């Protein structure tokens, strides 16, 4: 057993664990991190394939706090909006915001994880790889790990669970007290495919966009990678037709793409092989009433509130959690009080983004393609300029701002009512009753304070 017990022991050196280790170590805390996988800097990132993810303002702000934003952005690809590929007709770009100051970044998970692991070590955290958490003794304040080097026992003061959706720490905490845990499985799953570069080594399609092929009950998306590939994700229901019950192998997938994703098919030369090799991934929302056990343990990121992927906010929310927890530990000298304050701040926000993530699936797979939706979208971007700081599209509040997710959700609900009411029966903005709409906005939406 180590001579000195660290102040905080983080389980998991994924995105949240590595960032939190950096933030706490930079604040002078003694931090140890235990990670189940091997060190990705020595053995390559587990899985090998380059998986990309959308990084937006919340995640970026957290990276700025850790001074890791520059390194991450150096390898990022900018995404201006959605490139919508209709079943019939030409693809068109729907911007995410007003201009190029409101964009998303596509980054490589593996590269970002390595950057954050380097930051954590540079800040003074002690990282232990190939150490899989097994069991926690909350009375003796010890835990056991397994790994190539054999089993070991370690002492701790406070544990922080950044060990992802299948968290072992959460499971150990649940033996001490009922955490009020519920998992809602989505009745849709996903499969990853790849668009390689052209023979000349260029992107095959527009790089600065998140591509969507909306097909009503299902969809495909593609995010750019800095090696000029795209990671394609096919989302399908589990039952019905088409579904993962009827699309069972690469040949079925080819037939589906010939019919429904004809412009994507020539971009994915190894469609059959990709489909047959990659597993079907399931999707769920994890609801947890308690994230904390006194000063003994607390959960962050997916371990506390895994969500479906459709808002691209799982990582962004996890990184925002880390900043909130580090701030709470600065504010409250007592660890149990800090953990409680962190949970009080984050619980309603996690629930709000979990709900908005579920809603955004419908928007992406179905609505982006319809005329009513596009008119409402046009109107909300216009209202944002007409009522600055008051009317802000919900997507923008979630993606480009750091106002609490719960506030974005509540204001979004009011705005949606106003948009539906104003556009009902209209097929152009020329006939909108502006006086009535302006009055309703002033009455129902308070101005947001600056600085958010
Ligand atoms: P993780 O990143 O899962 O990290 C958990 C870490 O804990 C891992 O390193 C794991 O090895 C380790 N661990 C697990 N168990 C143990 C144990 N017993 N002992 C020790 N270590 C352990 N989010 C976005 O914001 N935008 C996106 O575009 C996006 N795209 C995604 C694409 C895919 C394919 C997937 C799967 C997710 C995506 N997400 C995205 C969600 C995002 O990946 C997660 O929300 C985020 O990684 C959560 O971070 P975390 O640190 O809590 O968990
Ligand atoms: N997890 C994303 C968005 C919103 C895009 C929009 C959506 C794949 C698994 Cl599905 C999805 C978004 O509204 O126009 N921004 O970023 C990322 C998304 O999926 C990621 C790549 C993903 N996450 C398991 C698969």
């Amino acid at each position: 057993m180590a001579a000195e017990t660290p102040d905080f022991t983080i389980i998991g050196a994924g995105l949240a664990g590595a960032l939190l280790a950096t933030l706490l170590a930079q604040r002078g805390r003694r931090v140890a991190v235990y990670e189940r996988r091997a060190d990705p800097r020595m053995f390559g990132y587990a899985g090998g394939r380059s998986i990309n993810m959308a990084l937006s303002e919340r995640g970026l702000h957290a990276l700025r706090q850790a001074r890791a934003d520059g390194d991450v952005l150096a390898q990022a690809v900018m995404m201006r909006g959605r490139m919508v590929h209709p079943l019939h007709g030409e693809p068109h770009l729907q911007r995410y915001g007003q201009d190029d100051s409101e964009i998303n970044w596509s980054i490589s998970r593996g590269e970002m994880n390595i950057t954050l692991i380097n930051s954590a070590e540079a800040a003074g955290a002690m990282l232990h790889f190939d150490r899989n958490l097994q069991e926690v003794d909350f009375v003796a304040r010890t835990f056991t790990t397994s790994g190539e080097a054999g089993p070991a026992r370690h002492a701790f003061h406070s544990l922080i669970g950044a060990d992802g959706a299948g968290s072992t720490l959460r499971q150990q905490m649940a033996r001490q007290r009922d955490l009020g845990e519920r998992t809602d499985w989505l009745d849709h799953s996903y499969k990853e495919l790849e668009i390689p570069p052209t023979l000349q080594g260029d992107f095959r399609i527009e790089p600065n966009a998140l591509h969507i092929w909306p097909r009503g009950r299902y969809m495909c998306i593609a995010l750019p990678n800095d090696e000029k590939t795209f990671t394609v994700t096919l989302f399908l229901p589990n039952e019905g037709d088409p579904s993962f019950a009827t699309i069972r192998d690469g040949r079925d997938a080819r037939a589906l793409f010939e019919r429904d994703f004809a412009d994507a098919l020539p971009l994915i030369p190894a469609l059959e092989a990709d489909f047959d090799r990659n597993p079907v991934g399931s999707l769920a929302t994890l609801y947890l009433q308690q994230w904390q056990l006194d000063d003994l343990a607390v959960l962050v990121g997916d371990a506390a509130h895994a969500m479906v992927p459709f808002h691209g906010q799982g990582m962004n929310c996890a990184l925002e959690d880390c900043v909130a927890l580090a701030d709470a530990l600065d504010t409250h000298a007592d660890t149990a009080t800090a953990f409680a304050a962190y949970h009080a701040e984050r619980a309603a926000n996690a629930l709000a983004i979990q709900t908005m993530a579920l809603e955004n699936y419908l928007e992406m797979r179905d609505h982006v393609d319809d005329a009513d939706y596009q008119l409402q979208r046009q109107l909300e971007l216009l209202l944002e300029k007409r009522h600055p700081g008051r009317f802000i599209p919900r997507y923008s509040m979630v993606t480009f701002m750091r106002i609490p997710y719960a506030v974005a959700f509540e204001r979004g609900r009011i705005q949606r009512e106003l948009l539906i009411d104003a556009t009902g029966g209209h097929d152009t903005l020329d006939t909108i009753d502006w006086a009535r709409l302006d009055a309703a906005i002033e009455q129902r939406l308070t101005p947001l304070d600056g600085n958010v």
Side-chain angles (χ1 to χ4, degrees):
M1 215 176 277
E4 261 191 309
T5 308
D7 301 327
F8 295 99
T9 300
I10 299 175
I11 308 301
L15 303 175
L19 178 83
L20 186 59
T22 308
L23 294 174
L24 296 180
Q26 283 175 347
R27 287 159 158 87
R29 310 293 191 138
R30 289 174 307 175
V31 180
V33 185
Y34 290 83
E35 165 59 47
R36 161 166 80 184
R37 292 168 305 155
D39 188 337
R41 297 167 298 185
M42 289 160 74
F43 301 99
Y45 198 70
R49 285 175 299 142
S50 62
I51 293 299
N52 45 13
M53 27 204 321
L55 171 71
S56 57
E57 177 57 23
R58 294 169 197 272
L60 201 49
H61 178 77
L63 295 178
R64 281 184 209 115
Q65 307 294 296
R67 298 187 282 281
D69 51 315
D71 287 346
V72 171
L73 284 188
Q75 301 155 335
V77 182
M78 179 244 261
M79 299 187 292
R80 293 196 163 87
R82 311 168 164 152
M83 186 68 80
V84 177
H85 298 249
L87 184 55
H88 305 292
E90 288 303 300
H92 56 275
L93 181 75
Q94 297 179 1
R95 273 195 175 273
Y96 283 132
Q98 299 283 359
D99 53 45
D100 277 359
S101 69
E102 297 187 318
I103 49 109
N104 259 323
W105 298 97
S106 181
I107 50 117
S108 146
R109 172 197 293 268
E111 286 169 4
M112 169 154 162
N113 205 171
I114 286 173
T115 299
L116 290 176
I117 286 169
N118 284 329
S119 308
E121 273 189 357
M126 288 289 298
L127 276 75
H128 308 274
F129 291 95
D130 189 18
R131 282 275 145 222
N132 188 357
L133 173 67
Q134 297 284 330
E135 237 183 287
V136 183
D137 181 336
F138 288 104
V139 176
R141 292 197 191 238
T142 62
F143 64 95
T144 55
T145 59
S146 62
E148 288 271 299
R153 180 180 298 275
H154 320 267
F156 71 89
H157 284 304
S158 295
L159 292 173
I160 302 177
D163 50 350
S167 173
T168 303
L169 180 56
R170 183 178 75 231
Q171 181 203 314
Q172 293 295 306
M173 290 163 70
R175 303 194 333 170
Q176 302 298 305
R177 92 191 267 195
D178 181 5
L179 302 178
E181 176 174 341
R182 182 167 64 88
T183 301
D184 259 14
W185 292 96
L186 192 69
D187 47 3
H188 292 235
S189 299
Y190 72 97
K191 177 83 90 171
E192 282 165 351
L193 308 166
E194 196 191 64
I195 300 177
T198 62
L199 289 175
Q200 292 74 39
D202 296 326
F203 285 107
R204 275 191 198 224
I205 47 176
E206 168 61 47
N208 296 119
L210 188 158
H211 294 261
I212 309 180
W213 289 260
R215 294 297 180 261
R217 290 182 58 245
Y218 48 97
M219 68 175 185
C220 253
I221 65 167
L223 272 74
N225 277 304
D226 70 343
E227 313 91 279
K228 318 247 193 245
T229 63
F230 289 83
T231 305
V232 176
T233 312
L234 169 66
F235 294 94
L236 285 180
N238 297 331
E239 303 294 335
D241 189 19
S243 72
F244 282 114
T246 62
I247 310 298
R248 286 195 305 239
D249 58 23
R251 280 186 50 210
D252 299 339
R254 172 168 291 275
L256 174 73
F257 271 72
E258 278 169 359
R259 192 189 73 189
D260 286 346
F261 303 107
D263 69 325
L265 184 58
L267 307 173
I268 315 174
L271 175 72
E272 272 105 332
D274 287 352
F275 195 97
D276 289 332
R277 182 179 14 154
N278 296 336
V280 173
S282 45
L283 301 167
T285 309
L286 168 80
Y287 301 101
L288 203 64
Q289 252 142 34
Q290 304 295 332
W291 298 4
Q292 172 192 5
L293 205 62
D294 309 317
D295 68 338
L296 291 162
V298 72
L299 301 172
V300 297
D302 280 10
H305 51 63
M307 65 190 73
V308 297
F310 307 108
H311 223 306
Q313 286 292 314
M315 159 188 61
N316 286 286
C317 180
L319 300 181
E320 196 174 56
D321 284 350
C322 296
V323 175
L325 179 56
D327 285 350
L329 286 164
D330 273 351
T331 312
H332 304 279
D334 177 64
T335 303
T337 309
F339 286 176
Y342 152 78
H343 178 246
E345 179 187 336
R346 296 301 291 166
N349 292 318
L351 184 60
I353 188 57
Q354 288 178 311
T355 309
M356 292 189 281
L358 282 160
E359 290 176 359
N360 211 47
Y361 188 23
L362 268 170
E363 178 155 334
M364 292 180 76
R365 74 185 203 214
D366 200 9
H367 303 159
V368 290
D369 221 2
D370 76 38
D372 285 355
Y373 171 84
Q374 286 180 30
L375 188 68
Q376 287 170 25
R377 178 77 189 139
Q378 204 190 333
L379 178 58
E380 68 175 349
L381 286 168
L382 204 145
L383 289 174
E384 181 175 29
K385 288 196 270 191
R386 200 172 163 96
H387 296 275
R390 204 188 277 264
F391 194 111
I392 303 167
R394 186 174 92 175
Y395 184 90
S396 302
M397 291 190 280
V398 168
T399 311
F400 309 132
M401 299 174 78
R402 289 184 285 113
I403 57 175
Y405 286 122
V407 174
F409 184 64
E410 177 53 20
R411 294 180 73 98
R413 199 180 55 73
I414 297 168
Q415 292 179 168
R416 195 178 149 65
E417 284 178 23
L418 295 169
L419 289 172
I420 290 173
D421 186 53
T423 55
H426 298 256
D427 47 19
T428 153
L429 296 183
D430 299 340
T431 51
I432 298 287
D433 183 347
W434 294 105
R436 188 164 157 270
L437 178 54
D438 289 341
I441 289 172
E442 304 236 331
Q443 194 211 327
R444 298 192 59 194
L445 294 167
T446 52
L448 284 165
D449 337 323
N451 240 352
V452 281

